[in-house]
Amino acid sequence: MTPLCQSCAMPMDAPEKFGLEADGKQNDDYCCHCWKNGKFAYESTLEQAVENNIPWWKEDGDKSDDEARSRIMKVFPTLKRWAK
């Protein structure tokens, strides 16, 4: 099973898609966009992360912002970074 980034749900299906620790080792939880040099690449609230990811999810087939937002909100709260 392809691991998903525990921040943005991007499939990490190739080594270059995994984030890197400060020592250059692969981080198994977060993608290269969310985890850089051993820390999150950006600080964000869940709500900001949802809004920032809408364009990517629309590229993946959602027809509207609302459709993408609804689908994201079913996934993001289950991810390690956003789970309460």
Side-chain angles (χ1 to χ4, degrees), residues 38-59:
K39 61 184 180 182
F40 286 113
Y42 59 92
E43 291 301 320
S44 177
T45 64
L46 171 60
E47 293 76 19
Q48 289 168 329
V50 169
E51 294 303 311
N52 289 339
N53 276 275
I54 286 173
W56 305 113
W57 288 58
K58 284 174 68 177
E59 282 185 14

Side-chain angles (χ1 to χ4, degrees), residues 3-52:
L4 298 179
C5 174
Q6 292 297 300
S7 179
C8 73
M10 181 180 96
M12 298 186 300
D13 55 5
E16 64 273 10
K17 292 186 178 178
F18 286 82
L20 297 176
E21 298 296 345
D23 62 5
K25 291 183 181 168
Q26 176 179 297
N27 180 288
D28 292 332
D29 289 328
Y30 301 107
C31 76
C32 60
H33 303 290
C34 294
W35 193 260
K36 295 181 182 193
N37 202 27
K39 61 184 180 182
F40 286 113
Y42 59 92
E43 291 301 320
S44 177
T45 64
L46 171 60
E47 293 76 19
Q48 289 168 329
V50 169
E51 294 303 311
N52 289 339

